[in-house]
Amino acid sequence: MQITGARMVIEAFIAEGVDTVFGYPGGAIMNVYDEIYKQSGFTHILNRHEQASIHAAEGYAKASGKVGVAMITSGPGFTNAVTGLADAYMDSVPLVVVSGQVPMSLIGTDGFQEIDAVGISRPCTKHNYLVTDAADLPRVLKEAFYIARSGRPGPVHVDIPKDVTAQIAEFNYDVELDLETYKPHTKGNPRQIVKVMEAIAKAKRPLFYLGGGIINAKAAYEVRDLVHKTGIPAVETLMARGVLSFDDELLISMLGMHGSYAANMAMSETDLVIGLGVRFDDRVTGKLSEFAKNADVIHVDIDPASISKLVNADFPIVGDVKNVVNEMIEQSGHINPDKYESWRETISHFDELHPLTFHEDTDRLKPQWVVKRVGELLGDSANISTDVGQHQMWAAQFYPFTRPNQWITSGGLGTMGFGFPAAIGVKTACPDKISINFTGDGSILMNVQELMTAVERKIPVINIILNNNFLGMVRQWQTLFYDKRHSQTDLSVQPDFVKLSEAFGGIGYRVTTKEEFDFALKDAVEKNIVTFIEVVVERFENVMPMVPSGGSLFNMMLLEKKETK
Amino acid sequence: MMTENSERRVVSVIVVNEASVLSRITNLFSGRGYNITSLTVAPIPDSKYSRLTIVTSGSVRVIEQITKQLHKLISVLRVYEHADLVEKEMALVKFPITENLSDVNTLCEAYNGKIVNVGENVVIAMVIDEPKRIDNFLAVIKRYNPKEIVRSGAVALER
């Protein structure tokens, strides 16, 4: 059929099964918004800032496992979205982001709201397109969705000049894609898998090192199966929380800078690292030369460039984690779980020595208690988003995750302001689950305008603001490494968070006791509208354990021992 | 890793011949802190592809990352990290016509070249040889007061 470029965008979205688009209109994208007005195939959610649109699409994608879609205008609309694109790129989140561009005749003339969008998005997307002819749009959009979700997922940006959205051309979406230059390698080398299973059978102290790639590959339940069949203990990265259930006996905990003592010690003592969908991030490894020093390394990843980038892989396998893990399960018959009994005991001993815990030794509430309490009250019924900082680490350490896609956080880029819009996307994708956003008094103000989106569209995100009147994580570093010079991190002057939420039409609570918190959370769940629960917490609480930046995993700063009551 | 030796490498990249593909490649190098000593690019006849020849340097690990990261780009068809190759580079040099032209010409001949243009005040000489030999040539001709030198960057084919 012959339709406009603008209409093609709508038709492509519908053909891809898109049900929600997050966005913000503007001059260069108006033709497409006109078509959005006329259609009923999907819902458009108007965020109040383009960055929030991208994060909402990310939250939607991470919670649903589908491609997230966002739409923005040219110039400032696009530049506002860049942080979101970079965030999605770092965390391998499948997105298609369509932006308007000035008409072709104005490109290069410094036109109103013109910016070289593809020039800017190039280093922070998996791929991008500037569409110069409407006839190319069906193919480009189809490629964009395919590239976003296949291989190592990532954001794809499609920039469309205004005159191209008005141009009429043939639309046929039913075409075979012919991407000669892009063929992700999904099947692991069978001979290498045999060798890997031999290495595992020989190892005395093997350790699963589970990463976010497992969630992207929708392989969490296969990994659970493999872990249980082999009896080999596992550590999770920040992005892998929920791959194993919190109560799984073989799950040690999160490893890395704020990983548990047992997880980091296990990684330091293991003789065989079995890395699945991981990338050996510096926040995980600490000092590289000391990381898993005595171990051989198995590394399974869909992205060949991730393998041996930082840590040399003795057994590299390029492939989709789900395929490879299924192969490994089939060949795991000769592995006897009893063999690792003493290794599991060693790890239990580490955990008894320095368990992941906290002390309730101040008048004010402890932030860790809040996270634990939400876990006790809501557990599996909630999806958990976070912003970035101390609250994020406490949420990762103490929330009882039970399933993949339950945990939505900004890992690689560490984007403050991610949590609230992401939680809006999460709630949109999973309306039956409660959407919690753990945030801090610093982070929440970075996309606080989303209160309006949540109120307008009746998206009942519950924001739990762990308020310590500090940019807590930076304050922690200043306390520990900058001789307590708390430069520009004291947030004593703050808005009234309750009134702030109410001003937009949401509800708010300020709580200082456990009883007040329980009441506020239960009440918020019942009222089912967007909420701020400001929890006044201990100001100087530090996230522990901590591996100082660049230090070895086994050299952790630990929680001071206290007599437990 | 710091102790690993940096070595010169020639990498050929076959890319889809489309707008902004060159910036995808150069962005990758600058963004990840890799070196480009020289880069040449031209379309491959009768195809929708172009071929880039990039001379770079780095440790074994860095070179491996360069080829992997290049291959990860959606527009890249193939990446060859050459071991055994024929490599050539061209240089054009402008000399004052007052220099000893027979000397210049003889030197050029030793490097597969000759004088290719004679003007009122200057002559232009061309040489084609391996990049290392081009270095030698350019060192030798210093005494003839070259006014301008342009190098093409290397092109290479696997043997």
Side-chain angles (χ1 to χ4, degrees):
Chain A
M1 57 181 164
Q2 296 275 324
I3 53 174
T4 62
R7 186 75 209 171
M8 287 183 187
V9 176
I10 309 302
E11 296 294 336
F13 285 0
I14 292 169
E16 292 288 347
V18 172
D19 56 28
T20 310
V21 174
F22 300 90
Y24 205 103
I29 195 74
M30 278 181 75
N31 291 334
V32 184
Y33 270 88
D34 193 43
E35 292 296 337
I36 288 180
Y37 187 87
K38 296 178 202 161
Q39 62 83 41
S40 56
F42 57 81
T43 305
H44 180 277
I45 291 178
L46 175 72
N47 298 92
R48 264 43 174 196
H49 189 286
E50 289 87 350
Q51 184 194 350
S53 294
I54 312 294
H55 291 327
E58 285 186 90
Y60 179 96
K62 287 188 186 210
S64 68
K66 295 196 284 188
V67 177
V69 180
M71 189 176 296
I72 51 186
T73 193
S74 67
F78 170 75
T79 54
N80 278 346
V82 170
T83 302
L85 288 173
D87 189 89
Y89 188 50
M90 284 289 266
D91 284 346
S92 308
V93 184
L95 293 188
V96 170
V97 176
V98 172
S99 62
Q101 181 55 279
V102 299
M104 298 266 286
S105 56
L106 281 180
I107 288 181
T109 67
D110 303 320
F112 177 65
Q113 294 193 329
E114 182 189 0
I115 195 73
D116 174 13
V118 285
I120 292 175
S121 71
R122 199 168 293 132
C124 51
T125 53
K126 184 173 173 185
H127 198 51
N128 63 13
Y129 298 87
L130 172 62
V131 183
T132 56
D133 187 342
D136 294 337
L137 255 180
R139 174 187 58 82
V140 165
L141 288 165
K142 194 160 189 174
E143 283 182 12
F145 276 92
Y146 174 66
I147 290 170
R149 69 172 164 254
S150 59
R152 179 176 177 177
V156 179
H157 168 217
V158 182
D159 197 33
I160 317 177
K162 190 171 187 179
D163 50 344
V164 175
T165 61
Q167 196 189 339
I168 291 172
E170 176 64 20
F171 182 82
N172 177 13
Y173 205 69
D174 207 19
V175 285
E176 285 286 305
L177 286 183
D178 177 29
L179 281 163
E180 213 180 335
T181 60
Y182 175 68
K183 295 192 163 52
H185 199 81
T186 56
K187 203 172 174 314
N189 181 324
R191 267 179 303 176
Q192 187 74 333
I193 294 173
V194 171
K195 273 198 224 163
V196 157
M197 296 316 286
E198 281 167 8
I200 292 174
K202 266 186 223 153
K204 292 191 177 69
R205 299 182 307 280
L207 182 69
F208 279 110
Y209 162 32
L210 309 177
I214 296 166
I215 308 227
N216 275 331
K218 302 180 174 70
Y221 292 98
E222 287 78 2
V223 167
R224 288 181 181 193
D225 198 13
L226 178 65
V227 168
H228 294 143
K229 283 216 161 84
T230 56
I232 295 170
V235 293
E236 287 179 346
T237 68
L238 176 70
M239 303 313 285
R241 300 306 266 152
V243 168
L244 299 185
S245 183
F246 77 102
D247 52 2
D248 194 312
E249 282 180 1
L250 289 166
L251 173 63
I252 305 171
S253 189
M254 180 171 77
L255 86 164
M257 183 174 273
H258 293 299
S260 77
Y261 176 79
N264 286 343
M265 289 310 289
M267 186 53 92
S268 303
E269 301 272 308
T270 178
D271 64 352
L272 183 69
V273 175
I274 312 166
L276 304 176
V278 290
R279 61 184 182 89
F280 297 86
D281 179 74
D282 58 89
R283 285 297 192 265
V284 163
T285 62
K287 191 176 183 182
L288 271 175
S289 57
E290 301 285 334
F291 177 77
K293 206 174 176 182
N294 304 312
D296 279 345
V297 173
I298 297 166
H299 190 182
V300 181
D301 204 275
I302 188 95
D303 177 10
S306 278
I307 291 176
S308 296
K309 179 173 72 173
L310 294 157
V311 170
N312 188 55
D314 303 280
F315 302 93
I317 297 182
V318 177
D320 182 83
V321 164
K322 192 170 191 158
N323 289 340
V324 176
V325 166
N326 275 330
E327 285 291 314
M328 289 169 80
I329 291 169
E330 258 178 47
Q331 297 179 32
S332 62
H334 63 294
I335 291 169
N336 178 9
D338 296 342
K339 191 183 156 192
Y340 312 118
E341 185 54 37
S342 74
W343 170 226
R344 289 191 296 263
E345 272 168 24
T346 307
I347 292 168
S348 304
H349 178 68
F350 287 144
D351 211 32
E352 280 157 26
L353 202 58
H354 296 286
L356 189 59
T357 186
F358 60 97
H359 303 307
E360 294 191 68
D361 52 0
T362 56
D363 293 339
R364 287 194 179 193
L365 287 176
K366 282 296 179 87
Q368 300 96 325
W369 176 85
V370 178
V371 172
K372 266 188 96 165
R373 188 64 184 151
V374 177
E376 285 162 11
L377 292 176
L378 303 182
D380 183 69
S381 67
N383 285 324
I384 305 298
S385 307
T386 74
D387 267 301
V388 170
Q390 287 185 313
H391 68 269
Q392 177 189 29
M393 291 301 114
W394 286 318
Q397 289 177 331
F398 291 104
Y399 198 85
F401 299 102
T402 42
R403 56 192 158 82
N405 307 90
Q406 184 182 15
W407 167 243
I408 283 84
T409 197
S410 166
L413 198 67
T415 308
M416 289 171 71
F418 170 87
F420 188 9
I424 287 176
V426 170
K427 184 67 186 176
T428 310
C430 307
D432 297 339
K433 297 282 180 190
I434 297 161
S435 183
I436 297 287
N437 175 37
F438 282 110
T439 180
D441 46 311
S443 285
I444 190 61
L445 290 183
M446 284 208 182
N447 264 320
V448 77
Q449 79 288 339
E450 291 311 299
L451 274 166
M452 202 70 262
T453 311
V455 166
E456 187 206 12
R457 302 307 296 259
K458 299 190 169 53
I459 304 169
V461 171
I462 299 173
N463 292 281
I464 299 173
I465 306 170
L466 300 175
N467 188 357
N468 55 12
N469 290 88
F470 271 121
L471 285 178
M473 189 57 94
V474 181
R475 193 280 308 152
Q476 176 171 341
W477 284 50
Q478 287 169 335
T479 300
L480 297 173
F481 310 120
Y482 290 82
D483 205 16
K484 299 187 182 166
R485 291 186 300 278
H486 296 148
S487 177
Q488 301 296 314
T489 46
D490 189 318
L491 302 183
S492 288
V493 178
Q494 285 184 331
D496 180 327
F497 286 109
V498 175
K499 280 188 190 158
L500 182 60
S501 181
E502 287 170 355
F504 283 87
I507 53 174
Y509 308 83
R510 182 171 192 274
V511 305
T512 56
T513 66
K514 291 180 175 179
E515 293 71 28
E516 284 172 356
F517 180 76
D518 279 10
F519 170 79
L521 185 61
K522 285 174 189 161
D523 199 43
V525 170
E526 213 161 279
K527 291 217 167 88
N528 205 31
I529 69 174
V530 63
T531 305
F532 275 7
I533 301 177
E534 178 199 356
V535 190
V536 179
V537 296
E538 167 56 32
R539 288 199 80 193
F540 289 93
E541 187 72 6
N542 289 334
V543 182
M544 288 294 160
M546 179 176 192
V547 179
S549 189
S552 311
L553 274 193
F554 50 81
N555 279 331
M556 281 163 273
M557 303 168 87
L558 294 161
L559 187 72
E560 270 175 61
K561 288 246 169 189
K562 294 216 168 143
E563 293 302 316
T564 40
K565 287 166 213 166
Chain B
M1 262 168 293
M2 294 302 185
T3 56
E4 287 177 38
N5 289 330
S6 180
E7 45 179 279
R8 179 184 183 279
R9 278 292 190 181
V10 183
V11 179
S12 290
V13 192
I14 315 295
V15 298
V16 179
N17 186 7
E18 63 186 6
S20 79
V21 65
L22 185 59
S23 61
R24 290 187 199 280
I25 307 280
T26 53
N27 265 14
L28 172 67
F29 275 76
S30 59
R32 291 190 181 264
Y34 307 144
N35 298 312
I36 298 182
T37 309
S38 78
L39 184 157
T40 69
V41 56
I44 297 172
D46 305 319
S47 84
K48 57 175 184 177
Y49 298 106
S50 285
R51 184 178 178 114
L52 285 86
T53 311
I54 302 170
V55 180
T56 181
S57 59
S59 64
V60 174
R61 191 187 288 273
V62 167
I63 299 290
E64 186 185 323
Q65 264 296 304
I66 289 176
T67 57
K68 283 177 169 177
Q69 293 291 348
L70 281 168
H71 204 261
K72 197 169 155 181
L73 294 175
I74 309 290
S75 311
V76 170
L77 179 69
R78 256 191 279 285
V79 183
Y80 302 104
E81 187 207 327
H82 295 295
D84 186 19
L85 47 80
V86 175
E87 192 186 347
K88 293 289 174 195
E89 183 174 5
M90 185 177 82
L92 295 174
V93 187
K94 203 182 264 181
F95 295 100
I97 203 152
T98 48
E99 293 298 326
N100 184 333
L101 295 184
S102 69
D103 276 14
V104 168
N105 199 49
T106 310
L107 274 172
C108 287
E109 280 172 5
Y111 291 87
N112 303 315
K114 60 185 177 185
I115 290 173
V116 291
N117 185 274
V118 180
E120 215 167 294
N121 300 312
V122 292
V123 301
I124 296 174
M126 174 202 71
V127 290
I128 297 175
D129 215 321
E130 282 148 35
K132 237 185 196 160
R133 286 190 35 91
I134 299 283
D135 292 345
N136 292 343
F137 172 77
L138 294 176
V140 169
I141 49 110
K142 268 190 186 143
R143 64 161 91 168
Y144 300 102
N145 302 308
K147 291 164 81 84
E148 239 182 304
I149 298 169
V150 54
R151 297 178 71 149
S152 67
V155 291
L157 273 183
E158 191 86 19
R159 267 183 232 272

